[in-house]
Amino acid sequence: MTKRRMWRLLALLFAFSLVAAACGGGDDDADADAGETETETTAAPSEDEAMDEEEEMAEEEDEGATGALGGAAAEEDIEAAVAGEDEEEEMADEEMMEEEEMMFDRSTLEGIFEEAAARRAKSVADLTEKIESGEYGVGDDGILRGPAGFTIDISACPDDWSDTTGITDSQVRIGHTTAQSGNLAAYGNIAYGWENYFNWINENDPIMVGGSPRDLTLIIKDDAYVAAQTIEFVDELIEAENVFSILTLGSPNTLAVYDKINEECIPHPFVMTGHPAWGDPVNHPWTTIMQMSYSTESILWGAWIRENLPDLLPVKVAGLVMDNDFGLAYELGFEEWAHANTDVVSEYLPVRHDPAAPTLTNEMTTILAFEPDVFISMTAGNPCLLAVQEAGQSGLYDDINAKGGALFTPSVCKGIEAYMKPAGDAADGWWIIGGGSKDSTDPKFIDEPFMSFVNSNLEAGGLDPAVSLYAIGYTYGYPYGEALRIAADLPGGLNRTNFILAVRSIDMYHPMLLDGIITQLNGNADAYFVEGSDFSQFNATEQTWTQVGDVVDVNGKSTNCAWDKDNGGCR
C-alpha cells in the first residue's frame, strides 16, 4: 500500500508540474514564442527575397525527401536504424523512456493508468493554452487550426453539419464498418474486443460530457470486406445513425469512403489498415492511421534482407499479393525499393491472388517455379494461413530454408491462434516485421498487467481470451479512448473539432505495443502514429514470436502520402 501511495503522489506531482510548465511556458516555449514574435515584427522581405526563400525551402524539402518512399521514412534513416547507426537518437529515446519509467511503474496496472492520466493532463494543458490564445481551434474565419500547420476549413463542411452530432444525453455514438463474414471474417473479432473495452470504460471510468457520463456506443456494420457494401453502410451511419465518428477496416474499403467521410467533416481516426494513404493530413485531415504503414514495412523487408542475407545477395524475391488496393500498397512499395536496390534484389516476382480464393495452390506453384531466395506474403486474413500451409506442402518452405533464405508473413497476420498455430511445423522459422504489436496469447506477454487486464475483461464479457484478435480491439480502442478523454477536457468539451485536435497532437504510452515503439501524432509534421517495428521469428514449438535484435523506430521521419493509385501510389 505504501508503494502504491508513493506512485500516486509522484504521478500527481508530475501532472501538476506538467500543467504548470504548459501554463507558464518553459525555456523551449519561450524561445518558440520569441521566434514567432520576431517573425511577425521583422520588416517584410522584398518580393525577390521571398521568392528566393520559397525556392530554398522547396529545394530543402526535395533534398529531405531523397530516398523516401511515400508514407515511409527515407531509406537511409530506416537502414541506419536497422544497422544500429542512430545510437545518439536511440540513447536519447532510451533516457526519455527511463525517466518516464522512473516516474511511473509500468509493471502495475495502476502505474500504467497513472501515466496515462498525467500525459492527458499535459496534453489538455498544452492544447487549452493554444486554444485560449487563438493559436488553435476554430477562428472567426471558419478555419480550424492545430499543431504543425494543421488546418481544416470548417466553413466548407455541409450546411447541416454540427460539431456535436452523435453526442446525445446518454451516448457518444461511434460507427464502425468491418468484416464479420467472408474470407476476412476473423478481423471482425477486433470489433467485439473494441466494444468490450468501451463497455469497461462505460462501467468503470466513463467519458464525462458537461459534467455527466456518456456511454461510448459502437454501431457495428458487417461489410464482409466488400467496398460497395462499405459505401452503403457509411451512408447509413452518416444519414440515419447520426454518428459522432467513424472507424473503417480494410484498405479497399477505406479508400472507397474516406473522401466522403472527409467531405462530411466526420472524425475518422485510427483506421484499421496500414495503407500509407491515411498519412495525408492536408487532403484528408479527418482520417488518421494507427498501425505501421505498409510502405515502412516494405522498406524494412529490404533492409532486413541486406543486413541478414549478405552471402546470398542479390536475391530473388517472390511476393504473394492480394489483388486489391491493400496488396497493391505492398507490391508498389517493395517494387520501388527493389528497383532502387538492385545490389540487394536481382529479381522481384509479384504473384497476385483473388481475395476470395479458397486455395492458393496455383499461385504457389508459380512462385515455386521461380525458385526464390526470399518469399514475402503480402496478403491478409485467411490467405495468410493458406500461404504458410501451401509453402510447406509445395516444398517452397524446404527449398528456401535449404538456401539459407527467409519466408515472411505480413504484419497484419501476427495472430498466433488464427494464422500460425493451425499451420503446425510449417510455421516454424517464419519471419515478420510485426509493427511492434503484442499478441495476447503469446506466453511472454500473457502475464503483463495490462494484458491480464485485457484477457480478464474479455472473459468477463463472454469472449474467449484465446482468440487474440479480440485483444487487438484494445490496441485500437486504447488510443481512441485517450483522445476522447483529452477532447472532453478541452474548452468547449467533447466535440468533433476538439476530438480531431486531440488525435492530431496525441502523445501517449501504449501498453499493447512493445517497449521502444513511440506512439504520437503531430499535425502536418508527423501523420503516422506508429513508425517502428520488431523483427521476430516464429517458434512453433513454444508458440511464440521471438524478437531478434532491438526494436527499430523512425518516429517522425515518414513522408506524408497523397495517394494516387493511377500514377504509382504516394505523391
Side-chain angles (χ1 to χ4, degrees), residues 322-338:
M322 182 172 276
D323 192 9
N324 59 13
D325 289 307
F326 158 77
L328 180 64
Y330 273 139
E331 181 182 318
L332 289 176
F334 189 76
E335 187 172 60
E336 184 173 334
W337 190 92

Side-chain angles (χ1 to χ4, degrees), residues 175-192:
H176 181 29
T177 61
T178 186
Q180 294 181 312
S181 58
N183 222 26
L184 273 70
Y187 288 135
N189 289 326
I190 299 173
Y192 295 124

Side-chain angles (χ1 to χ4, degrees), residues 67 72 75 80 126 131 185 195 218 234 249 270-271 295 328 346 361 439 461-462 475 563:
E75 180 186 332
D126 290 346
I131 290 170
E195 186 174 46
L218 282 187
V234 164
L249 177 142
F270 305 125
V271 294
S295 294
L328 180 64
S346 59
T361 303
D439 188 298
T475 303
W563 184 250

Side-chain angles (χ1 to χ4, degrees), residues 179-246:
Q180 294 181 312
S181 58
N183 222 26
L184 273 70
Y187 288 135
N189 289 326
I190 299 173
Y192 295 124
W194 191 32
E195 186 174 46
N196 180 268
Y197 177 53
F198 276 4
N199 288 340
W200 181 88
I201 289 176
N202 295 339
E203 294 169 10
N204 296 275
D205 190 13
I207 303 293
M208 305 298 289
V209 179
S212 62
R214 299 290 192 277
D215 281 347
L216 301 178
T217 303
L218 282 187
I219 302 166
I220 302 171
K221 305 288 185 180
D222 174 18
D223 62 19
Y225 199 65
V226 176
Q229 188 66 70
T230 310
I231 294 171
E232 288 185 25
F233 282 142
V234 164
D235 287 344
E236 186 177 319
L237 289 169
I238 295 171
E239 296 165 11
E241 300 289 0
N242 296 313
V243 294
F244 172 77
S245 62
I246 293 176

Side-chain angles (χ1 to χ4, degrees), residues 21 26 64 99 129-130 173 188 205 241 253 268 312 314-315 323 487 492 506 526 553:
E99 288 178 6
E129 179 185 20
K130 290 178 170 60
R173 298 168 61 78
D205 190 13
E241 300 289 0
N253 313 73
H268 186 215
L312 290 181
V315 297
D323 192 9
I506 199 165
D526 182 3
D553 197 288

Side-chain angles (χ1 to χ4, degrees), residues 44-246:
S46 67
E47 187 174 333
D48 290 341
E49 288 174 338
M51 289 179 65
D52 289 342
E53 287 179 7
E54 287 180 7
E55 289 174 3
E56 286 176 11
M57 287 175 66
E59 287 176 5
E60 288 175 3
E61 287 176 3
D62 288 342
E63 289 172 5
T66 301
L69 178 65
E75 180 186 332
E76 55 266 31
D77 289 331
I78 289 178
E79 294 199 345
V82 171
E85 294 171 3
D86 57 345
E87 291 182 1
E88 289 186 8
E89 290 186 16
E90 286 181 1
M91 287 176 64
D93 289 340
E94 286 175 7
E95 288 173 5
M96 180 181 70
M97 285 188 287
E98 284 175 6
E99 288 178 6
E100 291 170 354
E101 289 170 4
M102 285 175 62
M103 185 61 66
F104 301 103
D105 186 2
R106 293 178 179 173
S107 69
T108 69
L109 187 63
E110 185 177 49
I112 291 170
F113 285 160
E114 286 173 345
E115 178 174 355
R119 284 177 176 264
R120 291 197 306 270
K122 182 181 185 306
S123 294
V124 169
D126 290 346
L127 289 171
T128 297
E129 179 185 20
K130 290 178 170 60
I131 290 170
E132 291 180 344
S133 70
E135 184 180 349
Y136 287 3
V138 182
D140 294 337
D141 55 1
I143 303 296
L144 170 66
R145 292 178 174 83
F150 179 75
T151 61
I152 299 176
D153 185 359
I154 299 300
S155 65
C157 295
D159 292 339
D160 62 349
W161 180 84
S162 169
D163 211 2
T164 57
T165 295
I167 303 175
T168 73
D169 291 340
S170 60
Q171 297 177 320
V172 179
R173 298 168 61 78
I174 298 169
H176 181 29
T177 61
T178 186
Q180 294 181 312
S181 58
N183 222 26
L184 273 70
Y187 288 135
N189 289 326
I190 299 173
Y192 295 124
W194 191 32
E195 186 174 46
N196 180 268
Y197 177 53
F198 276 4
N199 288 340
W200 181 88
I201 289 176
N202 295 339
E203 294 169 10
N204 296 275
D205 190 13
I207 303 293
M208 305 298 289
V209 179
S212 62
R214 299 290 192 277
D215 281 347
L216 301 178
T217 303
L218 282 187
I219 302 166
I220 302 171
K221 305 288 185 180
D222 174 18
D223 62 19
Y225 199 65
V226 176
Q229 188 66 70
T230 310
I231 294 171
E232 288 185 25
F233 282 142
V234 164
D235 287 344
E236 186 177 319
L237 289 169
I238 295 171
E239 296 165 11
E241 300 289 0
N242 296 313
V243 294
F244 172 77
S245 62
I246 293 176

